Amino acid sequence: MSTATAIRTLTPNQQERRARILGAARDLVARHGYHGMIMRDVATRAKVSPTTLYNLYNTKDELLLEALRDSVADSSGRAAQETEDMGYERLLAHLHFSVEQTREEPAYAKAITQALVRAEQGDQITLVLFNGTRSAIAGALTVMRDQQQLHPKTQIEPLANALLAAFWGNYILWSKGELALEELESELKRSFLSLLLPVAIGGTQTHISNSLTQLLR
């Protein structure tokens, strides 16, 4: 069952409680880092008993991963509401709302990015963040190819990986103070458009070229 489906099966009170718990977890990660969050502090901040919290989330890692999945799903959901286009416009909208989330909770986004940098191969945080971002990117690219916006022989997986690297590379630069938050969205778009331009065709290629020219000025 997907996260979105699971949420829809909750009662309004259960959804509100879930939102309080995940919000508390994100706030404490922002304050104390990804590994500094303590379950009893989450329970206190979310106004639930520790027993209730542990009944819902067996471990701290399970709660943290649910909070991460919720953030990824929220960004994708906002992008879906912004545009009916499943391809190019959806891809750019996903970038926009990822940065919007970062503006709303910059300390949390920075803590998560720094935890990702420190993570080992196979850690759950890398699977959630890499797979979630890669899935959204690959889905948009597949639609673009099907709609003849990309060259028909475009290989989706390596292009998605290149865009994934660009996405998190820019976030790492921001988390290390090498990129201002005000510049993050434009840098993400510039990176993405530069990688898409060589494989784009027709009107999409023209549009990407014009957009890239504007960003490079």
Side-chain angles (χ1 to χ4, degrees), residues 15-58:
Q15 290 185 31
E16 192 272 337
R17 182 183 64 187
R18 178 181 182 274
R20 288 201 319 269
I21 291 171
L22 297 185
R26 285 192 290 266
D27 184 58
L28 288 167
V29 167
R31 291 171 180 267
H32 305 296
Y34 187 75
H35 297 291
M37 188 205 82
I38 299 174
M39 289 288 274
R40 66 172 177 269
D41 292 341
V42 174
T44 299
R45 185 173 290 270
K47 297 180 180 179
V48 299
S49 71
T51 300
T52 296
L53 183 61
Y54 276 106
N55 284 337
L56 294 169
Y57 302 99
N58 293 324

Side-chain angles (χ1 to χ4, degrees), residues 175-187:
S175 75
K176 299 299 183 182
E178 298 295 327
L179 184 63
L181 181 56
E182 295 76 17
E183 300 170 340
L184 181 57
E185 184 171 357
S186 62
E187 287 300 319

Side-chain angles (χ1 to χ4, degrees), residues 31 51 102 192 202 204:
R31 291 171 180 267
T51 300
T102 302
F192 271 48
T204 300

Side-chain angles (χ1 to χ4, degrees), residues 142-158:
T142 299
V143 171
M144 289 178 68
R145 188 177 61 185
D146 292 345
Q147 292 179 345
Q148 299 182 331
Q149 297 175 351
L150 299 179
H151 191 280
K153 293 186 178 180
T154 299
Q155 297 183 34
I156 298 301
E157 184 175 349

Side-chain angles (χ1 to χ4, degrees), residues 11-212:
T11 67
N13 285 340
Q14 288 171 331
Q15 290 185 31
E16 192 272 337
R17 182 183 64 187
R18 178 181 182 274
R20 288 201 319 269
I21 291 171
L22 297 185
R26 285 192 290 266
D27 184 58
L28 288 167
V29 167
R31 291 171 180 267
H32 305 296
Y34 187 75
H35 297 291
M37 188 205 82
I38 299 174
M39 289 288 274
R40 66 172 177 269
D41 292 341
V42 174
T44 299
R45 185 173 290 270
K47 297 180 180 179
V48 299
S49 71
T51 300
T52 296
L53 183 61
Y54 276 106
N55 284 337
L56 294 169
Y57 302 99
N58 293 324
T59 66
K60 169 182 168 178
D61 284 345
E62 186 177 320
L63 172 56
L64 288 170
L65 292 173
E66 179 69 6
L68 283 176
R69 292 188 190 96
D70 188 69
S71 295
V72 173
D74 181 55
S75 177
S76 297
R78 291 191 196 183
Q81 292 176 356
E82 175 72 12
T83 175
E84 294 181 359
D85 188 314
M86 298 289 289
Y88 176 66
E89 295 297 333
R90 178 72 60 87
L91 191 59
L92 294 186
H94 183 72
L95 291 181
H96 172 72
F97 286 112
S98 292
V99 176
E100 280 293 295
Q101 280 185 328
T102 302
R103 293 191 183 107
E104 291 166 7
E105 298 181 298
Y108 174 71
K110 185 167 291 186
I112 291 302
T113 304
Q114 291 172 346
L116 180 62
V117 171
R118 293 191 295 269
E120 299 291 336
Q121 182 179 2
D123 283 359
Q124 285 298 309
I125 185 175
T126 66
L127 297 178
V128 171
L129 294 179
F130 284 178
N131 290 350
T133 307
R134 185 189 290 111
S135 177
I137 292 172
L141 292 176
T142 299
V143 171
M144 289 178 68
R145 188 177 61 185
D146 292 345
Q147 292 179 345
Q148 299 182 331
Q149 297 175 351
L150 299 179
H151 191 280
K153 293 186 178 180
T154 299
Q155 297 183 34
I156 298 301
E157 184 175 349
L159 180 55
N161 281 335
L163 293 171
L164 175 71
F167 182 89
W168 284 111
N170 278 293
Y171 261 91
I172 290 170
L173 287 173
W174 166 71
S175 75
K176 299 299 183 182
E178 298 295 327
L179 184 63
L181 181 56
E182 295 76 17
E183 300 170 340
L184 181 57
E185 184 171 357
S186 62
E187 287 300 319
L188 283 167
K189 287 183 176 179
R190 181 163 28 227
S191 298
F192 271 48
L193 294 175
S194 297
L195 288 165
L196 289 171
L197 184 60
V199 294
I201 57 176
T204 300
Q205 184 183 53
T206 301
H207 186 72
I208 289 175
S209 178
N210 291 339
S211 298
L212 190 56

